[in-house]
Amino acid sequence: MTAVLRHNDPPSLSARLRHAQAMTRPLMLDIILACRRFPSLGQSERTARVMRLIDAEAWTDAALALMELELPVWQIRRIAYDEGEWHCALSRERELPDWLDAAVEAHHADLSLALLSAFIEVQALAVEVSRPSVPTVRPAPDLLYEPVACENFS
């Protein structure tokens, strides 16, 4: 694994977001590099909008636009400010009661960092879900193997 991929994998980005005091352009660009859809869309209007928001340092708006672009199925369930921290929850089923919903939650003193922390947690969850629980390995064909029928039907 290269140093760039290790630097931009979801667990590493999650730790970097947790320890960041404020959003910076390099951190936001690292998050974009970890995205799956953003680079493949080319220069569509939506990706250009995200880049304009980053250039304007509108971090919260850029985070919301990136979430809309990367996670179309997920929605913001809750944003709350409590005791000096922003708490954000993302959910697939926003209309379900809290106790039935499997929301992804994150918190940080900065709103944009809280939103992006939840975003990275959802991406990490998507990577884990797409990975099979048991690795599939195809056995090497044995040249001496020959199937034989040994049933007696009489």
Side-chain angles (χ1 to χ4, degrees), residues 110-130:
D110 183 72
L111 177 58
S112 61
L113 290 171
L115 287 166
L116 288 170
S117 293
F119 170 76
I120 293 297
E121 292 299 321
V122 168
Q123 283 196 323
L125 187 69
V127 168
E128 289 175 10
V129 168
S130 66

Side-chain angles (χ1 to χ4, degrees), residues 4-39:
V4 172
L5 290 177
R6 272 191 309 245
H7 192 65
N8 291 333
D9 65 339
S12 173
L13 281 173
S14 181
R16 288 178 58 204
L17 287 170
R18 246 189 333 271
H19 294 92
Q21 297 298 317
M23 179 54 72
T24 61
R25 182 180 175 81
L27 182 57
M28 187 67 164
L29 294 178
D30 285 346
I31 291 169
I32 287 175
L33 285 176
C35 293
R36 285 180 244 144
R37 291 184 180 174
F38 191 88

Side-chain angles (χ1 to χ4, degrees), residues 4-129:
V4 172
L5 290 177
R6 272 191 309 245
H7 192 65
N8 291 333
D9 65 339
S12 173
L13 281 173
S14 181
R16 288 178 58 204
L17 287 170
R18 246 189 333 271
H19 294 92
Q21 297 298 317
M23 179 54 72
T24 61
R25 182 180 175 81
L27 182 57
M28 187 67 164
L29 294 178
D30 285 346
I31 291 169
I32 287 175
L33 285 176
C35 293
R36 285 180 244 144
R37 291 184 180 174
F38 191 88
S40 65
L41 290 175
Q43 283 299 322
S44 71
E45 177 57 34
R46 293 166 61 180
T47 58
R49 177 176 176 251
V50 172
M51 294 310 294
R52 283 193 309 270
L53 290 168
I54 292 170
D55 290 340
E57 295 184 0
W59 304 125
T60 302
D61 291 335
L64 292 170
L66 185 61
M67 285 192 302
E68 180 184 346
L69 184 67
E70 278 291 311
L71 307 171
V73 178
W74 291 80
Q75 300 172 347
I76 294 175
R77 181 176 184 85
R78 181 179 54 254
I79 297 177
Y81 186 76
D82 186 32
E83 296 182 9
E85 282 194 329
W86 288 97
H87 297 267
C88 300
L90 299 179
S91 172
R92 285 189 197 184
E93 301 292 332
R94 196 171 74 178
E95 303 305 321
L96 287 177
D98 283 343
W99 58 276
L100 280 177
D101 190 21
V104 174
E105 297 187 23
H107 59 89
H108 198 281
D110 183 72
L111 177 58
S112 61
L113 290 171
L115 287 166
L116 288 170
S117 293
F119 170 76
I120 293 297
E121 292 299 321
V122 168
Q123 283 196 323
L125 187 69
V127 168
E128 289 175 10
V129 168

